[in-house]
Amino acid sequence: MTPPRLLLLVAALVSTLSSAGATEIDWRLENPFRLFADARLTERHRQLFAKLSDAERLQPVLSIERRLASQDGRGWARSAFTKTCWSGKANSYSGCGSAGDYIFPKSHRVIVETRDVEVLARRCSWLMTPAGARRNQKPVKIVAPCHEPQTFDIPYPGGAEVALFVDGQMAGRTTIRVKDIFIVGLGDSFASGEGNPDVATAFTDNRDVSYGESPDGMALDGYPTRPGTWDKIGDSSFLDNGAQWWNAPCHRSLYSYQLRAALELAIEQPQRAITFVSFACAGAEITTGLMLQYKGTEWAPHPPDRPQVSAVARTQCGGQTAEEKKYQFTYSLNGKVPALNDIFVITCDREKARKIDLVMLSIGGNDVGFARLVANAMLDDQGVLRDLGGWMGRVFDAKQAEAAMPELSFRYKALARALRANLHIPDREMDRVLLTAYPVMSVLEDGRNVCPNGREGMTVFPEFNLSRARSADGEKAALKLYKAMKQAAADNRWSFVDAHRRAFAGHGVCIGASFEGSDPADDLRFPRRVAGAWVPFPPSQYEPYAPRRRWFRTPNDAYLTGHYHIGTAVAKRVLRLASVSWFQLVLAATYSGAFHPTAEGQAVIADAVAARAREVLAKYGSD
């Protein structure tokens, strides 16, 4: 119990402050990006942001990523991905404190200090007095040299008064009330960060591996491989030594544009906390993934246990119970989206649910088979992979993708309905949803022409051969998808983010250099071991996160970054092939994130999304 005399003294001193000369008190959150359990991770990014030039601050996320990559081409996230508030086992954001504390914080730790040169050499007393509902809580007092910053746990949302005393006299005070912004990430592989594992696969120069023969009889020898004592490709020891993610089933990465945009919003205004959650998952569609159950892109422990919309609704409740209800026709729109008939969706009661400030959304590409368009552009006409249906399902051409677009508009409408009804985003505030356009993938710098015919960047497998004509058709279909997404955003009153699209021209999947003296980071070639020597470079020298001109992963890049394989027994059971060795190679070069943005590409998208997010937050008084 606080002595009444002390409370009266504090009140008296505070009341006289207006007539006293006030020493300025500075404060900032110790960790404004709350997803990082270790505040030092956020601080590293904040310090880099503080050092950016005015020109660099035009694209702060990209500038920070390049600075980090120049320090470590293996990637900054490998020391961070295990230090988040995500619990894979629980499939929830409960890794920091007790259940509900992450979603409903009770306090925020802040750093207070004064830079007044007149008092820095003296001794200070700091007094933090909770405001609001916690006004009766005991004040916290710290006595220390004035030049030393101090930390206080400031109650949320009520805030606190912090007073500074020098030689027994009040020198200054300030009111600290933290804004905490709740940002939700939803979507597909472009949202999850596919192609950019937090820990990329390492390769050894002391060993190579054979994938047997390709279906047309070509020897697949001398390939880079992982270190270790494993016996066969696909055995447990081999798989344990692969790429790592903060969420493996969904290939969810710290390099995701959604995470990087949210992080940027935190570090640029360190008096504002960002509570960020992402349920984005590679391979997701509006139907299977967002509204219907989907187990993710990789055979890994603890796959998603709820569709993304339901997972968010459950999260909004923190540790409280959320209701799951059956909807017979609500989301099928009377049969226009048949897959959404008779579905179950979770909803947290509006009075208990945490209000969402922003939804970052990337979805629609898988709904129209965009990945299969890519397969169409790069598979040989007579190859076995085309006969098998590509590596991601039945190969689509542009006309087939376009045929799926009419239903896409209804899928977006169904999703908008769920965002209103189940996640409680008010109809008048639907611009809080930021739908992000897909970047151009093969457009050259002139903005018109596309990548030429060729195998550069995809020599990892004999049947990969980029077709200029089919790439052009794919870009035309992608343009129609872009227009359909833009229209859907307008129809549903979402914010549409597309400022990054033009920036990707000239940074596509075929951009690189393979001549003597060129930057090795831009090299499109692939290392193979021939007669005991690695040509053109040893695989251990490949740096997956080194700055480079192309912002998309090629199949060669994907093999050397993600190197995705599955267990041999699973492969034989699922694929029903007599020999799976060559198909393991295809997986390593495609399911590892080929044709997805690199970390730099994700950063470019993040800058565009952050710019739009600032506008929306300012509109609603959350800037």
Side-chain angles (χ1 to χ4, degrees):
M1 191 78 177
T2 304
R5 184 176 179 182
L6 177 58
L7 291 174
L8 289 172
L9 176 61
V10 171
L13 288 170
V14 169
S15 67
T16 61
L17 179 63
S18 59
S19 61
T23 296
E24 186 174 351
I25 297 173
D26 296 326
W27 69 273
R28 62 180 175 84
L29 285 155
E30 181 183 62
N31 186 14
F33 189 62
R34 299 182 60 243
L35 179 68
F36 286 160
D38 187 341
R40 292 173 295 183
L41 299 174
T42 308
E43 180 63 12
R44 183 183 184 189
H45 286 261
R46 190 189 73 83
Q47 289 183 4
L48 286 171
F49 175 75
K51 296 176 182 177
L52 296 181
S53 66
D54 290 343
E56 288 176 313
R57 290 198 178 198
L58 296 175
Q59 290 184 293
V61 184
L62 178 60
S63 299
I64 291 172
E65 177 57 35
R66 284 175 170 168
R67 289 195 176 207
L68 289 166
S70 66
Q71 296 170 9
D72 183 0
R74 297 294 302 169
W76 60 269
R78 57 183 173 150
S79 62
F81 81 109
T82 60
K83 302 172 184 176
T84 73
C85 293
W86 169 257
S87 170
K89 290 183 179 179
N91 262 306
S92 69
Y93 289 87
S94 57
C96 296
S98 57
D101 285 358
Y102 181 70
I103 302 303
F104 292 102
K106 298 178 177 63
S107 64
H108 295 87
R109 179 159 292 181
V110 304
I111 299 172
V112 297
E113 61 183 327
T114 180
R115 294 186 175 90
D116 190 333
V117 294
E118 294 184 6
V119 303
L120 289 180
R122 301 162 74 178
R123 196 162 184 81
C124 285
S125 294
W126 297 88
L127 191 68
M128 186 275 286
T129 306
R134 299 191 186 183
R135 189 175 295 278
N136 294 326
Q137 182 179 328
K138 182 178 179 180
V140 177
K141 182 178 181 181
I142 297 175
V143 179
C146 293
H147 69 273
E148 295 180 357
Q150 304 301 322
T151 60
F152 289 104
D153 289 328
I154 302 297
Y156 180 78
E161 298 283 346
V162 173
L164 172 64
F165 298 86
V166 180
D167 297 334
Q169 299 295 317
M170 177 177 284
R173 76 177 174 109
T174 190
T175 299
I176 298 178
R177 186 168 289 111
V178 177
K179 287 184 177 180
D180 194 306
I181 308 301
F182 187 33
I183 300 178
V184 171
L186 295 173
D188 52 23
S189 54
F190 279 67
S192 72
E194 173 67 285
N196 302 284
D198 299 300
V199 181
T201 302
F203 290 89
T204 178
D205 297 337
N206 300 321
R207 186 176 185 179
D208 62 274
V209 70
S210 172
Y211 287 95
E213 290 186 351
S214 67
D216 62 0
M218 186 175 293
L220 303 174
D221 299 330
Y223 279 80
T225 194
R226 309 175 189 183
T229 58
W230 49 271
D231 294 322
K232 296 180 180 179
I233 292 175
D235 70 20
S236 60
S237 178
F238 180 92
L239 297 176
D240 289 344
N241 205 19
Q244 298 180 66
W245 310 78
W246 69 280
N247 179 260
C250 288
H251 283 191
R252 203 177 301 148
S253 163
L254 297 184
Y255 295 104
S256 156
Y257 84 80
Q258 295 181 344
L259 186 145
R260 297 302 298 277
L263 174 57
E264 174 58 30
L265 294 173
I267 62 177
E268 67 188 23
Q269 289 199 33
Q271 291 187 351
R272 175 179 65 190
I274 299 293
T275 299
F276 173 73
V277 300
S278 172
F279 293 97
C281 199
E285 302 178 16
I286 294 173
T287 51
T288 304
L290 266 66
M291 301 293 292
L292 300 172
Q293 187 65 40
Y294 173 61
K295 292 297 185 181
T297 194
E298 180 173 331
W299 288 272
H302 317 299
D305 62 347
R306 290 293 188 277
Q308 291 182 42
V309 169
S310 287
V312 173
R314 183 177 59 183
T315 300
Q316 284 181 282
C317 261
Q320 306 172 87
T321 301
E323 179 186 11
E324 188 169 44
K325 179 182 175 182
K326 185 177 181 179
Y327 296 85
Q328 188 172 10
F329 303 118
T330 303
Y331 296 115
S332 67
L333 306 180
N334 293 322
K336 293 182 176 66
V337 189
L340 298 183
N341 269 327
D342 294 325
I343 66 170
F344 288 85
V345 186
I346 292 176
T347 307
C348 180
D349 184 85
R350 188 182 298 272
E351 300 304 315
K352 297 189 296 183
R354 175 160 183 185
K355 179 179 173 61
I356 296 172
D357 294 289
L358 291 174
V359 174
M360 296 180 180
L361 176 65
S362 170
I363 202 71
N366 292 325
D367 295 77
V368 299
F370 191 72
R372 299 169 191 174
L373 270 177
V374 175
N376 180 59
M378 63 166 286
L379 293 180
D380 278 346
D381 288 331
Q382 305 303 319
V384 172
L385 281 181
R386 183 172 289 276
D387 293 338
L388 282 174
W391 64 88
M392 296 180 182
R394 182 167 54 90
V395 173
F396 271 20
D397 60 23
K399 291 183 179 179
Q400 290 169 304
E402 291 165 17
M405 289 183 190
E407 184 179 309
L408 179 62
S409 65
F410 292 112
R411 292 189 179 197
Y412 280 126
K413 185 176 180 180
L415 176 59
R417 184 171 290 184
L419 295 175
R420 287 192 298 268
N422 302 97
L423 302 188
H424 308 306
I425 298 176
D427 187 62
R428 65 183 180 279
E429 298 180 8
M430 289 301 281
D431 57 346
R432 292 182 183 271
V433 180
L434 277 59
L435 178 63
T436 304
Y438 297 100
V440 294
M441 185 182 301
S442 59
V443 176
L444 301 180
E445 196 166 6
D446 62 11
R448 298 185 303 274
N449 293 304
V450 299
C451 293
N453 294 329
R455 301 192 62 233
E456 282 198 306
M458 51 189 66
T459 53
V460 61
F461 190 73
E463 287 189 14
F464 294 167
N465 195 345
L466 190 66
S467 163
R468 180 175 184 174
R470 286 197 290 261
S471 291
D473 287 343
E475 288 293 351
K476 289 178 183 177
L479 180 60
K480 292 185 178 180
L481 172 61
Y482 161 75
K483 291 179 178 179
M485 294 175 70
K486 188 173 184 178
Q487 185 61 52
D491 293 342
N492 295 294
R493 297 190 297 283
W494 297 340
S495 299
F496 189 57
V497 182
D498 63 353
H500 54 284
R501 276 177 58 85
R502 182 65 184 89
F504 268 80
H507 294 279
V509 71
C510 62
I511 303 301
S514 301
F515 54 87
E516 186 175 353
S518 62
D519 186 344
D522 279 328
D523 201 329
L524 282 163
R525 293 174 293 178
F526 184 78
R528 297 279 290 270
R529 200 170 198 174
V530 180
W534 289 103
V535 180
F537 58 86
S540 65
Q541 293 183 5
Y542 181 79
E543 294 185 326
Y545 294 106
R548 45 178 55 94
R549 289 189 295 158
R550 65 181 174 277
W551 294 342
F552 273 94
R553 298 282 183 206
T554 67
N556 291 359
D557 294 332
Y559 181 102
L560 295 169
T561 303
H563 204 235
Y564 176 66
H565 291 68
I566 59 177
T568 301
V570 173
K572 288 183 176 179
R573 183 174 69 251
V574 174
L575 301 173
R576 298 178 182 177
L577 298 174
S579 172
V580 297
S581 293
W582 65 269
F583 205 82
Q584 290 277 27
L585 173 57
V586 173
L587 290 175
T590 54
Y591 264 67
S592 298
F595 308 103
H596 286 78
T598 63
E600 286 180 285
Q602 289 281 344
V604 173
I605 302 171
D607 277 319
V609 171
R612 188 70 183 94
R614 292 184 197 102
E615 296 173 358
V616 174
L617 291 175
K619 174 183 176 181
Y620 293 106
S622 300
D623 55 344

